[in-house]
Amino acid sequence: MPTIISSPPPRPLLWILHGPNLNMLGSREPEVYGRLTLADIDSALGRLAESRGARCESFQSNHEGVLIDRIHAAPDHQVQFFIINPGAFTHTSVALRDALLSVALPFIEVHLSNIYAREPFRHHSMLSDKALGGIYGFGSQGYEFALLRALDYLQNR
């Protein structure tokens, strides 16, 4: 009788999307955004995902259309979840919202600062009513909270 070798189930893939100006972390307004660079944050998220049996890939763009193209590509890559810090696009981008809705994948919105404790124009998010949840004001730890919550969500759905 032939031996049947079963392969392990694929590890969940999450995409971490970073919007405009987040490439400047570490030097941009450190009193608001902290001193960690985006590379520091992405490395920590990669290690955390690996420790939980998952994979995450990070992507940053200052261009709305590039982020939209990335979102549209997610189904072809078997992405199961987004964690997104849309930066200033949070408050303005119907197109980013529509892209997220078009692929019908769950997402969590993350912001390093508490957008509700800042200027009034930052108090409205174009995404939050469609997000699984939002994490605001906890610095880089917000991404870690979001990743852990996303993995819980994927495990229990």
Side-chain angles (χ1 to χ4, degrees), residues 11 16 40-52 54-58 147:
R11 297 181 304 150
I16 316 298
D40 295 332
I41 292 168
D42 288 340
S43 290
L45 292 172
R47 288 189 304 273
L48 181 57
E50 286 291 325
S51 76
R52 300 293 175 120
R55 301 171 293 145
C56 70
E57 296 175 6
S58 298
L147 180 60

Side-chain angles (χ1 to χ4, degrees), residues 20-22 24-34 87 118 122:
N21 299 310
L22 292 166
M24 300 300 293
L25 290 178
S27 61
R28 175 188 176 208
E29 298 176 86
E31 67 283 357
V32 174
Y33 299 107
R118 298 186 63 195
R122 295 187 194 275

Side-chain angles (χ1 to χ4, degrees), residues 61-84:
S61 180
N62 293 318
H63 305 282
E64 184 179 39
V66 174
L67 288 166
I68 291 167
D69 289 343
R70 184 72 171 178
I71 291 166
H72 289 172
D76 293 337
H77 295 271
Q78 288 77 49
V79 173
Q80 294 175 291
F81 204 102
F82 293 115
I83 295 169
I84 183 167

Side-chain angles (χ1 to χ4, degrees), residues 17 63-65 67-69 71-72 82 84-107 109 116 124-132 136:
L17 303 176
H63 305 282
E64 184 179 39
L67 288 166
I68 291 167
D69 289 343
I71 291 166
H72 289 172
F82 293 115
I84 183 167
N85 182 341
F89 293 143
T90 302
H91 322 292
T92 62
S93 184
V94 173
L96 197 58
R97 173 193 176 93
D98 288 349
L100 288 162
L101 293 175
S102 76
V103 297
L105 291 171
F107 68 94
E109 181 181 343
Y116 298 103
H124 178 72
S125 168
M126 299 298 286
L127 309 178
S128 63
D129 67 316
K130 298 301 179 183
L132 182 63
Y136 314 101

